[in-house]
Amino acid sequence: MFLFKKSADLRHFLDLRKKQGQTVGFVPTMGALHQGHTSLVRQAAVATDVSVCSIFVNPTQFNEATDLAKYPRTPEKDITLLLEAGCTVLFLPEVPEVYPDGQQSTLNIDFGQLDQPMEGAHRPGHFKGMAQVVKRLLDIVQPDQLFMGQKDYQQFAIVRHMISVLQLPVKLVMSTTVREPDGLAMSSRNLRLTPEQRTIAPLIFQTLSSAKESLLAESPQEISAAAMKALSVPGMVPEYFEIVDGTTLQTIHNMDEHELVVACTAVKMGEVRLIDNLVMKNL
Ligand code: AMP
């Protein structure tokens, strides 16, 4: 595996590969890697000639300074996992390398309603920072294919919108959520859960699964209300449980009027915030 810390060095390497007719697949991450990340890398390695994984804890997408400071960092384990996954290139830039002109964003994209609900409502500025870093990394890596996880459903929808609006020449590929055996979606943030919190955390996926089972019998509003109640156990505080149109991300009222329906939720366990989602209906 090749390791680059400087954009110019990475570009030089990728330009040579592109001249040889090779395609590039890109997986942006914030590190503390797990099997969810490596499934994206494996997919990139199968679909393209050169798989590039970036590890960059992007300061501009954190709305809470403590969340940024406490974001887990496990560089040695990350390298081992990437080697196992067959990653060609690890890009490990420092902040000035990604933002040579400062962290103020010049990216001005209207996301319509996509960035308003759910994560947008609970994490002000998060999606602006996320879009800024994805655009910047795409400018550096210039991949043929970009691989992102369904785990961050709203993020995926916003990146898809950005690629479409800016007409970026990249194919966006969604990868399904990788879960622990007990259903908990793999997340770097799981590392911050106490053993007690970890035993309760599978309730998130259980609640999403129960919601799916109630689809035919109850309205989306009834299902959401029941789910919020189910998630309100000692040690867990649900922020939202929304049943949304999978394309517009707007809350739905009648399941029959939508072809793609997704339930999205966020909970807080102590200081740790976890998100997950499940497709309820996909015609
Ligand atoms: P992060 O490092 O959390 O910013 O995530 C980097 C990429 O990995 C994003 O595209 C995420 O959606 C994806 N990802 C994170 N967790 C999972 C998971 N459990 N399964 C599949 N993809 C994931």
Side-chain angles (χ1 to χ4, degrees):
M1 185 168 69
F2 298 88
L3 166 67
F4 294 104
K5 293 189 166 186
K6 301 285 177 203
S7 318
D9 296 340
L10 173 66
R11 266 297 359 122
H12 180 66
F13 173 89
L14 292 175
D15 283 342
L16 286 177
R17 294 299 186 106
K18 283 206 159 185
K19 271 194 195 128
Q20 294 164 3
Q22 298 194 355
T23 54
V24 176
F26 180 41
V27 180
T29 81
M30 297 204 298
L33 300 184
H34 49 65
Q35 299 300 330
H37 296 114
T38 53
S39 75
L40 297 181
V41 173
R42 283 178 211 278
Q43 222 178 323
V46 169
T48 60
D49 301 309
V50 181
S51 51
V52 179
C53 176
S54 65
I55 296 181
F56 178 64
V57 184
N58 175 36
T60 72
Q61 72 188 69
F62 284 83
N63 50 321
E64 286 180 23
T66 50
D67 195 23
L68 171 61
K70 290 192 178 168
Y71 199 83
R73 289 161 171 88
T74 57
E76 275 138 38
K77 184 179 165 214
D78 291 353
I79 289 174
T80 307
L81 285 175
L82 289 175
L83 284 168
E84 283 170 11
C87 182
T88 322
V89 173
L90 168 58
F91 181 44
L92 202 59
E94 301 283 346
V95 172
E97 197 62 27
V98 175
Y99 300 121
D101 303 323
Q103 295 180 24
Q104 199 59 35
S105 180
T106 51
L107 191 64
N108 234 335
I109 299 174
D110 180 5
F111 292 114
Q113 295 293 308
L114 290 177
D115 65 344
Q116 302 300 311
M118 303 190 291
E119 292 304 285
H122 286 85
R123 301 184 68 189
H126 166 66
F127 285 128
K128 198 166 193 279
M130 182 281 293
Q132 175 193 18
V133 78
V134 171
K135 171 68 170 59
R136 176 72 187 120
L137 290 170
L138 286 175
D139 286 346
I140 296 171
V141 179
Q142 297 168 28
D144 299 281
Q145 298 193 40
L146 170 65
F147 297 83
M148 299 187 82
Q150 183 196 328
K151 155 87 171 23
D152 299 273
Y153 195 90
Q154 194 171 7
Q155 166 174 287
F156 187 92
I158 287 172
V159 170
R160 181 171 52 198
H161 180 81
M162 176 173 81
I163 288 172
S164 159
V165 168
L166 300 179
Q167 298 184 357
L168 303 178
V170 61
K171 178 182 168 197
L172 179 62
V173 182
M174 180 187 270
S175 195
T176 51
T177 303
V178 179
R179 300 180 179 281
E180 300 287 355
D182 60 13
L184 178 65
M186 289 192 183
S187 165
S188 309
R189 293 171 197 271
N190 294 351
L191 292 174
R192 292 177 56 204
L193 296 174
T194 63
E196 294 74 34
Q197 288 170 333
R198 178 62 188 80
T199 57
I200 310 168
L203 183 62
I204 304 167
F205 183 62
Q206 287 161 16
T207 306
L208 285 164
S209 305
S210 308
K212 191 170 182 176
E213 283 166 20
S214 315
L215 261 192
L216 296 176
E218 294 173 45
S219 73
Q221 277 58 44
E222 286 168 336
I223 296 172
S224 293
M228 287 296 280
K229 208 169 158 198
L231 291 168
S232 302
V233 294
M236 185 179 283
V237 179
E239 285 191 351
Y240 63 82
F241 190 104
E242 294 287 342
I243 300 182
V244 300
D245 181 284
T247 308
T248 65
L249 304 187
Q250 297 307 296
T251 302
I252 66 160
H253 299 279
N254 184 346
M255 207 71 80
D256 298 336
E257 290 171 4
H258 304 266
E259 291 189 350
L260 177 61
V261 176
V262 185
C264 301
T265 187
V267 306
K268 275 207 103 167
M269 304 191 70
E271 282 186 359
V272 185
R273 194 168 176 282
L274 299 177
I275 60 169
D276 200 355
N277 65 79
L278 193 64
V279 173
M280 303 273 108
K281 172 181 167 187
N282 190 1
L283 285 186

